Amino acid sequence: MRHKTLFFSLLALSIGSAAPTFAYAQKAKTVRSVSSNSPIPLDPAIKVGKLANGFQYFILRNSEPKERVLFYLANKVGSLQENEKQQGLAHFLEHMNFNGTTHFPKNALVDYLQKSGIRFGADLNAYTGFEETVYQLPLPTTDPALLRQGILIMRDWANGALLEDDEIDQERGVILEEKRQRGGLSHRLQEKTFPLLTNQSRYAYRMPIGTDEVLNNFKHEEIRKFHKDWYRPELQALIVVGDIDVDAIEKEIIAQFSGLKNPKNAPQSKSYPIALTGKNQFLAFTDPEVTQSSLQILHKQEARKTRQLGDYKNSLAKDFFVQLCNMRLAEQTRKSTTPFLAASLSNGALVGNIETNGIQIMPKPDSLQSSINAVYYTLGQVATHGFTEAELERLKSDYRSMLVQSLKEYDKTDSKSFMDQILAHYLKGEPAPSFQFLQPILLNALEEIRMADILTYVKEFKGHQNRDMVLVYNDDIKSVPSESILSGWINAASKQQVSAYQEEKVEDQLLPALPQPGQIINEEEDKQVGTQTLLLSNGAKVILKPTTLKNDEILLTSYSPGGYSQYSLKDFQSATNAVNIVTNSGLGPFNSLQLSHYLNGKNATASPFINEIGEGIKAQSNREDVQTAFELVYGYFTVPRLDKDINKTNLEKTKLSLKNRQQQASTFFTDSIAAALYNNDPRKTAPTLKKIEEIDFDRSFEIYKDRFADASDFTFVIVGNFDRAFIDPYIKQYLATLPNIKRKESFVDNGTYPPQDGIHRAIHKGKEEKSTVAMAYLGTYDDYSEYNNLLMDALSSSLTIKLTERLREKEGGIYSISVSPSLSKNPRKRFGMNISFTTAPGQVDKLVAAAIEEIELIRKNGPSQEDIDKYIAEKLLSSSQQVQYNGFWLSYLLSSSVDQLDPARIFNEKEQIKSITPGKVKELAQKYLKPNHLFQFTLYPEQ
């Protein structure tokens, strides 16, 4: 299960809840009648109740996605409530709630839900934090019996854990392996920094994963005591959001949870605030796997709570300060003379009662002091001269556009968004107003914000108390500075003389004069699928699917065969980097910074791509800005540009990032696998300094223009809320006028594939006492078809179930396992069945042998009918959901056209799914999971 620790999270304004739309003039009138000192009301659509035993519930009806509901059981107990003998037991108890409850003994709970189509891990999940434990269960609402069982499951999680001796002991190994799996550079860094950042508070010594000593040795009664003490109704709430009957759900909750009792003489729940000592602290950290030096300067303060309406304006002003500073800092990275690779400001929660105002700097080699000077010069420039009105108005315009667009789509908001908001309201006391109420408040705050409001926050990033500095370094820093030296650099940098920021002027038009519109010369309609296929006068094909799946969303994608497979090895690096080089350069008259300014306040994006076998452009917009989206598409065909200066700067950054790439064990491992599989072929192996040197900007630009020189073999797909009268003029003007040289192309098969027989190799890197095993069955896939792909997916699902049962539940040797098929049709029919897990080095041989044994059993006997039924249930559930999203139709219709498949086949998918049998999966397993097709790579620590 997930383990959640709040670390450095950026400030996010809460803007969630379901509500109908109404005119902005009406909203503005409402705002003027509300005082900024008024409390923030809870969304009235949320039904709130509290039982006599203290158990609370929150219920909200929301129909996106349709026929689905989310249940969350929130417990106000986490690792902070553990005593010395219980470290890790809050998280351990979370695991145990999946290993036997009153109505679902042993593994019956997971088994039952899998048969209902709910995936363990992906859907069914839980997490433990310092102050909370939360269980998550999504269900379909079409089966009333399953819905009632869902509430029963929540009731069992609240108070029904069996906590049997053998199950407790079996789970010890699983949790220790979960702890091992998390180990690595970030974990080692956190172990050093977290006590410092939390001022040696209780948080530093109650990491939810616990200690090896406790996990290995705690008495069974200890976890039962923790469960009895802390899993009690006065500390619990059930949150239900989805396509449901609210009154019926409420009755069921009252019936199931009213009987829960609070234990007598239960310990009181305590808070453990972190004291601000006023002291400054410093830590220098290095490690063999550190690839990039960095400095983090954190100014700690009491967290500000959003309680009153006026707090939104303050939060927004501070967020604007951070964003505007970051835009200035990001702009500097366009210059080769800038001493840092990246620098940014942040504001967000740490843990408990503390938030941080942070400055993060990634210096170029041996440039730490000059990087500090550059960052504090920017802060000094802002403090002295402020931001320009143009900078502020651009940011306001973007935010205003986001608020307006969000309200348009509000009745399409996913239930998960509401769930997260209500959960934060219950656990943290955060506001959960309706968006109908909140949107005009935020719009009003937006208009009221002045430059002075924003600049008040400069001082919070330049304080000299409660400041922590963490320097992470490698050999890029020749002389590691002490705290006093760093403080001296910062003090000196803060006193620099600064000049006002000068902003360059921007053109106001993206495209030159446009040609006369082209024509639609033929069209066909597919009434069953709801599409129209148009042939344009320049030879391009356009597939249209109008939908109401979103209120104001229009998506576009396109494809033409060819890709970078067309180019020789000499041009390969230039070809694969062509899109990045062009998009880094901007478009038409704008460099990339100017283009972002031009697009401020517009809800429109477009991005070209070139992959191995084709190229195209993707775009999206709302109705108001659809012309801008089409302009961008037209522009990426006709007016790309090359900015060598910005690309030289980016290339230098890339070279620096590659310098220490292979110091990290995981990177070294994946790079070694690629080198072995593809015999060091430059097309398939990791980036290197030598490869970067082969990039020729002019050649990249030529290749890009060549890929988009001809629209006659392009297929465009447009999906969203539009009609023909609205969309046709844009198609004629911007798509039908694209260049046409009547070129017919295909991709080239360059023949870079793994060998026919498997490879077994041990790779040694890193100091962590853990091993990663990567196994894969690879080979040609002569039977490629959509149905066989379903069978491969079913085989993957069956393997996941059996390998989890064996390696986790029986052997206790892993926390999780990944099993995933990789299937390709072009440029050659290929398959892969990829299996990976992490374990102790001494466990590798035993677990690999066990995995192969289970795979061979499936090859010999086929999967069980029960496991296939679980797959069918899950697939039917996901199949019914996918058609509710524009993004699905976009990719589905494009692939159908490119592969010349009938798009109406989607309506038969459920019948195909239901026809899957163990025998069919067995036949596929016997053919493709042959022992000589097995490739196995194992990462061990250095000897």
Side-chain angles (χ1 to χ4, degrees), residues 329 340 343 345 359 361 370-380:
L329 293 168
F340 54 77
L345 271 59
I359 301 171
I361 304 172
S370 53
S371 294
I372 290 170
N373 285 337
V375 171
Y376 279 86
Y377 184 93
T378 297
L379 281 176

Side-chain angles (χ1 to χ4, degrees), residues 116-274:
S116 303
I118 309 303
R119 297 168 297 171
F120 181 53
D123 299 321
L124 173 68
N125 215 323
Y127 75 84
T128 303
F130 289 107
E131 298 164 287
E132 77 274 1
T133 305
V134 179
Y135 298 86
Q136 307 167 356
L137 176 62
L139 289 176
T141 59
T142 49
D143 183 349
L146 179 59
L147 207 55
R148 287 192 297 272
Q149 287 291 84
I151 297 177
L152 182 63
I153 290 168
M154 290 286 148
R155 164 64 177 76
D156 271 14
W157 279 341
N159 194 246
L162 295 179
L163 302 176
E164 296 169 313
D165 290 359
D166 59 336
E167 292 292 333
I168 293 171
D169 291 336
Q170 180 67 28
E171 200 66 20
R172 294 182 198 266
V174 173
I175 292 179
L176 287 167
E177 288 306 321
E178 179 181 0
K179 191 175 184 213
R180 186 193 310 277
Q181 185 171 305
R182 291 186 195 149
L185 176 62
S186 61
H187 176 72
R188 296 193 293 273
L189 176 60
Q190 185 182 59
E191 281 188 323
K192 294 291 186 182
T193 58
F194 202 60
L196 175 129
L197 297 177
T198 57
N199 292 347
Q200 306 294 326
S201 67
R202 190 176 180 88
Y203 287 89
Y205 305 103
R206 287 296 183 274
M207 297 303 291
I209 193 63
T211 66
D212 286 6
E213 175 64 24
V214 171
L215 295 174
N216 275 310
N217 300 302
F218 73 86
K219 304 296 183 184
H220 299 154
E221 281 307 312
E222 199 66 55
I223 195 169
R224 293 176 185 137
K225 181 179 186 303
F226 188 87
H227 181 250
K228 180 181 177 183
D229 284 345
W230 296 110
Y231 272 55
R232 57 189 204 245
E234 63 185 0
L235 299 178
Q236 295 174 321
L238 181 60
I239 309 170
V240 187
V241 181
D243 195 1
I244 45 150
D245 180 329
V246 171
D247 291 338
I249 291 290
E250 182 182 36
K251 289 178 182 177
E252 195 71 25
I253 291 172
I254 292 171
Q256 289 285 1
F257 291 89
S258 294
L260 296 181
K261 306 291 185 184
N262 290 300
K264 295 180 180 180
N265 303 317
Q268 291 300 303
S269 186
K270 297 179 183 178
S271 61
Y272 295 91
I274 298 171

